[in-house]
Amino acid sequence: MSRLRRVTPVPSDIDIVKAHSCLPIGEIASKIGLTASDLEYYGPFMAKLNTKIPASLEPKERGKYVVVCGITPTPLGEGKSTTTIGLAQAMGAWLNRKCIACIRQPSQGPTFGIKGGAAGGGYSQVIPMESFNLHFTGDIHAISAAHNLIAAAIDARGLHEATQSDKALFNRLVPKKPGKPRVFSPIQKLRLKKLGIDVNIDPEKLTDEQKRSFARLNINMETINWNRVVDLNDRFLRKVKIGLSPSEQGFSRETQYDITVASELMAILSLANNLKEARERIGNVVIGNAKDEKQTPITCEDLGVAGAATVLVKDALKPTLIQTLEGTPVLVHCGPFANIAHGSSSVIADKIALKLVGPDGFVVTEAGFGADIGLEKFVDIKCRSSGLLPDCVVIVATVRALKTHGNGPPITPGATVPAEYLQENMELLEKGTVNLETHIRNIRRFNLPVVVAINKFSTDTLKELDFVREKAIAAGASDAQIANHWELGGEGALDLAKSLIKVCDQSESNSRFLYDLNLTIKEKIEIIAKQIYGAGSIKYSEKAEEKIKLYEQSGYSSMPICIAKTQLSLSHDPTLKGAPSGFEFPIIDVRISVGAGFIFPMAGEILTMPGLPTRPAFYDIDINTETGEIHGLF
Amino acid sequence: MSRLRRVTPVPSDIDIVKAHSCLPIGEIASKIGLTASDLEYYGPFMAKLNTKIPASLEPKERGKYVVVCGITPTPLGEGKSTTTIGLAQAMGAWLNRKCIACIRQPSQGPTFGIKGGAAGGGYSQVIPMESFNLHFTGDIHAISAAHNLIAAAIDARGLHEATQSDKALFNRLVPKKPGKPRVFSPIQKLRLKKLGIDVNIDPEKLTDEQKRSFARLNINMETINWNRVVDLNDRFLRKVKIGLSPSEQGFSRETQYDITVASELMAILSLANNLKEARERIGNVVIGNAKDEKQTPITCEDLGVAGAATVLVKDALKPTLIQTLEGTPVLVHCGPFANIAHGSSSVIADKIALKLVGPDGFVVTEAGFGADIGLEKFVDIKCRSSGLLPDCVVIVATVRALKTHGNGPPITPGATVPAEYLQENMELLEKGTVNLETHIRNIRRFNLPVVVAINKFSTDTLKELDFVREKAIAAGASDAQIANHWELGGEGALDLAKSLIKVCDQSESNSRFLYDLNLTIKEKIEIIAKQIYGAGSIKYSEKAEEKIKLYEQSGYSSMPICIAKTQLSLSHDPTLKGAPSGFEFPIIDVRISVGAGFIFPMAGEILTMPGLPTRPAFYDIDINTETGEIHGLF
């Protein structure tokens, strides 16, 4: 049944991948009822889905919807992606269930910085792994192009408005071509509409005041919150000054580059239910405010660039089908940040997958970071957008991470793992298990059933593993299973999968969101911070207070909240392990993604542009120029 | 035979395209003997060729090699691409010859700036036109990624060297991992080799001096000539200051962005004969010089990033197969600038195409800008690299452009075309035809046969067209034919195609390069400027003199020359029409692309980053959110 060829000890990720050839993607597609007309091939092993996105999905016609999240992780990660893949392999290749894993596309940037792929690990991986970690089917490049087009449009417009009279500006925006009258383009009519001007008016008939208000966005360049992006670790772009060439006549300004996955467009694509909604959301993106007293929000629609940006990302709205090592279908789509955005793959992929697997099948997806961030946002942001709530939550825990929560010595990437983690240490484990218990109780606040996946390391003892299992069930988990999919592939996640099937079959859909959207912004922040993170109080900076006031005035207060904070603690402070409580939770700033549709309070500075270390991973990467084979990529 | 469905009058480009569906790309491929295993599909109508690149090509086994160039153009262009496509349609769909057109991939940036595609026009176009003008198969995005990775590597390295001791730097570059000795990666061994250190040495055994020289590239950051790139018109990036975040500790510097097609990597990919050569050339790229007395060139290989950059562009080394409106195969590959680079599509595509069409077939490709720039560089740079000389040159002329060379009134994009160009005017034409005659004589300097394609406009009179024809033959053209492929598709280029076949059949391969590589840099510049452009003398700036001296000292003097100058005149001055002579030709700077393998003297400032006008083309572009159809793209 399974096509895995396992050896012991488990070889490196890349060696495992090289020992497993991909099946033709058409063969994978046929497992879930797709035919050639549903596929747009990108080489033999990847295909974008051209298939219809279901407008709605009744429980009777859709598969079970499972989301994998994690406890508060160590910097090494605890195996959420590996568990997602392993679980899909167990369901698909071992239990003969229709199953699709829906995962995020990783950023290409870190591939060349600090080693580490995003394709799972051991015998639970997705393939073709190299394509997956490199350009893939071009979605992130498309998002970069669309994002930077908007940025170029902002600065060019600012310059043109600053250097031209009202009349010149209007006459150029609505040009008279030889032998033809001036006409507004359909996109320009959207701006007329916003300004309350008859869209069918002859451009020559506008009053001077109307021409002025049409042609001048009057952007306050100091309010621009649309940075430029690149899918790369380039620390010198964290803060830049642009427009220094004499041709820009002194209109220079400071701005920054973010890594592309931090783009609001990425969040939009992952939350949109269809092309129409994506187009609307892109039009709604607020790139800054006008200089007027009301600080009128300026949108992509005002700039006239929302249509072109949508054209650039139209194919990026289609998920890409690949496969696991055991031939299970995987849909890869979108990969927004989990701090300044919601951190999960797309609504569109989940909807297509839930339809394709049908009522007996399973869709396994993943929520970024720990459950405090990833799962809360998955439910309160993504599920609100899709209208689909999960049937069950899997939370991944490791004995190693739980020991760090018992205040074990720090774990640093690249350094030797301290002895406490390589031998039995019940004291640290007993102290640290509170982190898992807290996450389980948090998940239960959504009325969602939870199954714990104890991701086993070879050095874990049976006593340790059993302890975690008992505590998990006592804390409210429906079940807890030891999983060993890294070593065994799908077979290692069989107990977990069986448990999950049982829980899903018994699951009653009475799950709920954490907060009501109609509460005030501060009320919503308080619910998340106190109920999920364990905060005792919230402290807002002056800036945060002002922004909240502005957003409420602008009519944005009913949006969901997407708190940006560290993933290394339930709190805002990465050094606070276990389950801290009663702390003061600081909100230093509040920002907004109007297009994506959420407000993101900042509980600390978030780095949106990584850097290259002294010895980047690229020192190991080369190509065999005879065979074309890539060396040293993971 | 032809599948064209023509109507009169000729509709807009986009309307023609919409009226012609693409044939499945596998069907196009089979016309030239390709099978499924040669193709990597990108959707149903595009496929990258996975086929073997011939190492050498004897005349007996290859097709005829035809290059299309032009006279000195107006700002509207004279239809080189349209002629290339029309000619291929005539050969393939009307004369039943195996024929492949090899063309450049256009930059996506201008698509959203000033309207105008690069897919030909009228009934001579390539399809799918929208994909062709947008992301296509991702090659330009891949080049951006590789280029910017190198840029990020330069600045990160500069910072790390500036802030770390020799010892810390060495220890981080060659780290000791838990339980393992320090080892050099294969890429690091290339640097050891360059430094003359035994590559098998134990890293611990290096002397302090050796460690220092290994770890410190000692880049003089003021000499960095590797900019960042983006495939976009973003004028605010023409000059930027980077590294302004406190995390970069004050090591900021000024730099600029170029549009991606200006990347040296683009030139490398178009000149490389295979993957091995591409890898070597990327390693040879000089990004700047060391602070030492010898100003040692620092390469991508020194930075350790050449392998990773090659991995990123490995698929971009494969040409993409699409089709003309009449179902003729088209290979699209690379698109370097024609001023700071050589401006033609790839050696690899030409070689594959020449092999595929076989001895009775034709490969029609294009040289950028006017023949003074495009054809000279095609022969002296591209053909030197490939070892393949063309069998015949087609030069495209229009009555309109020749009249401008007779000092007709200026032609401005968007404005009404003056009456002189819409009615017979023998005076202007007689005066201006010298431009065509000069180009013909120039082409004859290479001992290449030349056929003139007189690209007919409906307002041209027979007397005008005949005049041009006679003058062309008198100036040394083998033949001259009136072509009307814009209006008629391949049928309109039938006379041209037949003439070309005849000339190619009679052609004896005694063509030659313009200059000997072993001449000095100045001697080579002089030959090009005097013989081709008509210069009387050359004037070098002080900077240019210094750079020539430096390049000669560094051993680069035997590279070919790629002069960067305006395309709007045979001279350096765009206002000098006709065939100016005796002028002083200014070289204001001399630069080098060591990886691409040419020296490029600058005869004026070249803008490598376009800007968006007040009313960019994106005001017309939108998507139908029900059907996914794109509106307003050309």
Side-chain angles (χ1 to χ4, degrees), chain A residues 148-166:
Chain A
N148 290 333
L149 174 64
I150 296 169
I154 294 169
D155 283 301
R157 181 65 175 249
L159 179 69
H160 292 134
E161 287 196 21
T163 55
Q164 294 177 36
S165 68
D166 290 354

Side-chain angles (χ1 to χ4, degrees), chain A residues 299-365:
Chain A
T299 65
C300 274
E301 206 66 85
D302 291 322
L303 277 169
V305 74
T310 310
V311 164
L312 282 168
V313 297
K314 77 178 173 63
D315 291 325
L317 266 172
K318 301 170 186 167
T320 300
L321 180 68
I322 54 171
Q323 63 192 285
T324 69
L325 287 173
E326 297 191 68
T328 327
V330 177
L331 284 184
V332 182
H333 204 204
C334 300
F337 261 33
N339 37 41
I340 62 164
H342 60 289
S344 40
S345 68
S346 83
V347 166
I348 288 176
D350 287 359
K351 283 195 160 179
I352 293 175
L354 285 165
K355 174 85 181 174
L356 289 175
V357 300
D360 294 329
F362 281 79
V363 171
V364 186
T365 190

Side-chain angles (χ1 to χ4, degrees), chain B residues 25-38:
Chain B
I25 197 63
E27 201 174 306
I28 303 294
S30 67
K31 289 188 187 185
I32 42 174
L34 293 171
T35 61
S37 67
D38 293 308

Side-chain angles (χ1 to χ4, degrees), chain A residues 173-208:
Chain A
L173 281 168
V174 193
K176 194 165 161 34
K177 291 192 183 149
K180 289 180 186 168
R182 294 186 198 278
V183 285
F184 291 111
S185 77
I187 280 186
Q188 290 178 322
K189 289 184 178 176
L190 296 176
R191 174 141 177 94
L192 289 179
K193 201 174 162 189
K194 180 170 170 176
L195 296 172
I197 303 172
D198 174 11
V199 300
N200 295 315
I201 196 169
D202 173 355
E204 307 285 2
K205 298 268 169 66
L206 262 65
T207 65
D208 285 352

Side-chain angles (χ1 to χ4, degrees), chain B residues 307-355:
Chain B
T310 310
V311 164
L312 281 168
V313 297
K314 75 178 175 63
D315 291 325
L317 267 171
K318 300 172 188 166
T320 300
L321 181 68
I322 55 172
Q323 64 194 282
T324 69
L325 286 173
E326 298 192 68
T328 326
V330 177
L331 284 184
V332 182
H333 203 203
C334 300
F337 260 34
N339 37 40
I340 62 164
H342 60 290
S344 39
S345 69
S346 83
V347 166
I348 288 176
D350 287 359
K351 285 196 159 177
I352 292 174
L354 285 165
K355 174 84 181 174

Side-chain angles (χ1 to χ4, degrees), chain A residues 473-518:
Chain A
I473 291 170
S478 299
D479 202 355
Q481 293 289 353
I482 295 155
N484 196 11
H485 42 273
W486 179 82
E487 191 181 342
L488 300 176
E491 191 179 10
L494 269 178
D495 291 340
L496 178 64
K498 286 176 188 163
S499 177
L500 193 62
I501 292 171
K502 207 165 133 192
V503 171
C504 282
D505 285 343
Q506 293 164 351
S507 165
E508 288 170 35
S509 55
N510 57 354
S511 49
R512 62 178 202 93
F513 301 118
L514 187 69
Y515 53 82
D516 189 315
L517 287 182
N518 292 321

Side-chain angles (χ1 to χ4, degrees), chain B residues 94-166:
Chain B
W94 294 83
L95 298 176
N96 209 18
R97 291 276 192 152
K98 274 194 188 175
C99 181
I100 300 175
C102 288
I103 64 172
R104 289 169 290 175
Q105 181 187 354
S107 169
Q108 184 175 270
T111 305
F112 300 101
I114 296 172
K115 239 171 158 169
Y123 284 106
S124 293
Q125 291 190 66
V126 296
I127 47 175
M129 183 261 250
E130 287 161 354
S131 303
F132 178 71
N133 281 301
L134 294 175
H135 309 291
F136 203 47
T137 49
D139 292 355
I140 295 182
H141 291 323
I143 291 170
S144 298
H147 187 112
N148 290 332
L149 175 63
I150 295 169
I154 293 167
D155 284 301
R157 182 62 174 251
L159 179 70
H160 291 134
E161 286 196 22
T163 54
Q164 293 177 35
S165 69
D166 291 355

Side-chain angles (χ1 to χ4, degrees), chain B residues 378-420:
Chain B
F378 182 87
V379 178
D380 284 318
I381 298 176
K382 183 176 171 182
C383 293
R384 267 193 227 265
S385 186
S386 68
L388 291 166
L389 281 153
D391 296 285
C392 185
V393 177
V394 172
I395 184 163
V396 180
T398 61
V399 168
R400 179 177 71 186
L402 291 174
K403 286 177 181 171
T404 67
H405 289 295
N407 285 326
I411 288 176
T412 318
T416 310
V417 175
E420 286 82 348

